[in-house]
Amino acid sequence: MSAEIRKILVADDSEENRAFIAKMLLDLDVQVVHAENGTQALERLKEIEPILFILDSDMPEMDGYQVMNQMMTDENMRHIPVLMLTANLSDRQQSLHKTLLAVTDHLSKPLSADKLVAKVKLFLELDDYRLAIKTMHEDEEKILETMHEGLLGIDAKGTIRYANSAALRLLRTDATQLVGLYLESIFQDPIHTVCSDWSDHPVAKVCREGNILQVEKSDFWRADGTKSKVKFAAVPVSEMKDLELVFAFRELTDARESKTKLSKLTNTDSA
């Protein structure tokens, strides 16, 4: 946990909507920062480094999708988690923003207070894991914000407990869909049993012995059913909040990519 109170940015052109969202989050240990339009939201993102950006899709001048597109092209912003609040989408809008919505958590308006609070609690938990992983390499300021390298935090059962924004983009999914799945479900090998075989999985076996496993080329399933060629490293960790290993992976675009190093996490002393 960070000693400094964590901030959530809420962008909506309606002051009433912003106040309503802030009221729903009143019982959480967060500070809600307001932005009344897309331009102001982009400025706030640079100033405050929020742990979550709650963004209304339907704003004048610059709507939520335009804001997201600008964030995705900025290396200093694209790691910030976004919760998009959507109105009823027409078929055309769904088609236009299909790729963006696939990797962004979203809720439909009118909002359910219970669903909103549950989503925010998930992002607070993800931030707890982010901070815990970051302490492994305090000198590597951008380790969790890299645009190319996906990081997953895995518990003793093989369950995904943490995913950075790069992992979500590479797997074409959002945090709500990915967190809670077994890591083995993203590997190419088919799963034939309804219960997890994680304890017998090669990754689990190697890491259980305290070793780092590095694989130069493997196939992962994305959430949309397509396959991606990746290199990955599984790093056992100790004394970390509920996590047993950190899983780093990068998509391979050509043969040279397999020779590039993954993050400094692979040099971690796991003892």
Side-chain angles (χ1 to χ4, degrees):
M1 288 288 291
S2 173
E4 184 179 347
I5 188 166
R6 290 177 286 188
K7 298 178 179 67
I8 292 177
L9 178 62
V10 177
D12 194 308
D13 60 298
S14 165
E15 183 178 357
E16 182 181 359
N17 287 349
R18 298 196 306 270
F20 184 65
I21 292 170
K23 184 178 180 180
M24 286 193 282
L25 303 180
L26 203 56
D27 292 336
L28 301 180
D29 187 23
V30 297
Q31 176 187 348
V32 177
V33 180
H34 298 253
E36 59 188 42
N37 56 54
T39 302
Q40 190 178 85
L42 291 170
E43 293 171 355
R44 293 276 194 274
L45 287 172
K46 296 176 183 177
E47 296 168 358
I48 67 170
E49 283 286 321
I51 63 115
L52 177 63
F53 180 22
I54 300 178
L55 174 62
D56 185 52
S57 66
D58 185 24
M59 293 188 293
E61 297 182 16
M62 183 186 293
D63 65 22
Y65 302 105
Q66 291 171 308
V67 173
M68 277 286 293
N69 283 329
Q70 289 208 29
M71 287 179 67
M72 290 299 100
T73 60
D74 190 322
E75 227 179 306
N76 296 315
M77 292 186 193
R78 62 184 296 158
H79 66 280
I80 298 172
V82 176
L83 175 59
M84 183 85 81
L85 306 183
T86 62
N88 292 330
L89 294 177
S90 69
D91 290 342
R92 180 174 179 273
Q93 285 175 310
Q94 286 184 11
S95 176
L96 284 173
H97 305 297
K98 182 179 179 181
T99 302
L100 198 60
L101 288 172
V103 298
T104 307
D105 274 275
H106 50 280
L107 287 174
S108 298
K109 296 181 288 186
L111 290 180
S112 158
D114 290 341
K115 287 186 177 181
L116 176 64
V117 170
K119 289 269 191 185
V120 173
K121 284 182 175 179
L122 169 63
F123 284 104
L124 286 170
E125 183 177 12
L126 289 175
D127 192 58
D128 287 342
Y129 288 121
R130 181 188 69 83
L131 293 172
I133 294 172
K134 187 175 181 179
T135 59
M136 295 173 63
H137 284 283
E138 293 181 354
D139 61 321
E140 192 74 359
E141 290 295 326
K142 295 293 182 181
I143 195 167
L144 300 179
E145 302 170 7
T146 173
M147 61 187 292
H148 301 300
E149 189 169 313
L151 293 178
L152 302 173
I154 313 299
D155 66 16
K157 296 179 180 178
T159 306
I160 299 170
R161 302 291 296 273
Y162 168 78
N164 71 347
S165 56
L168 299 176
R169 287 194 301 273
L170 291 170
L171 296 174
R172 299 182 185 175
T173 188
D174 59 64
T176 302
Q177 299 299 318
L178 186 61
V179 172
L181 291 180
Y182 286 103
L183 177 62
E184 58 195 300
S185 67
I186 73 174
F187 287 97
Q188 181 186 15
D189 297 336
I191 307 297
H192 297 295
T193 62
V194 294
C195 59
S196 170
D197 287 329
W198 175 246
S199 61
D200 293 324
H201 197 279
V203 173
K205 286 181 176 180
V206 171
C207 292
R208 195 180 301 130
E209 297 172 357
N211 299 316
I212 294 173
L213 174 65
Q214 298 194 62
V215 175
E216 295 301 318
K217 188 178 291 186
S218 181
D219 287 331
F220 281 5
W221 287 112
R222 302 186 185 103
D224 60 5
T226 59
K227 282 193 297 187
S228 171
K229 291 196 177 298
V230 303
K231 70 173 298 182
F232 70 82
V235 184
V237 294
S238 59
E239 298 181 3
M240 185 176 290
K241 176 182 166 64
D242 302 326
L243 299 183
E244 190 162 272
L245 66 92
V246 172
F247 193 88
F249 65 101
R250 178 184 289 134
E251 198 166 49
L252 300 177
T253 55
D254 56 47
R256 290 171 297 177
E257 285 287 336
S258 65
K259 300 183 184 301
T260 60
K261 291 183 178 180
L262 287 163
S263 71
K264 289 184 180 178
L265 285 170
T266 57
N267 297 323
T268 299
D269 181 4
S270 59

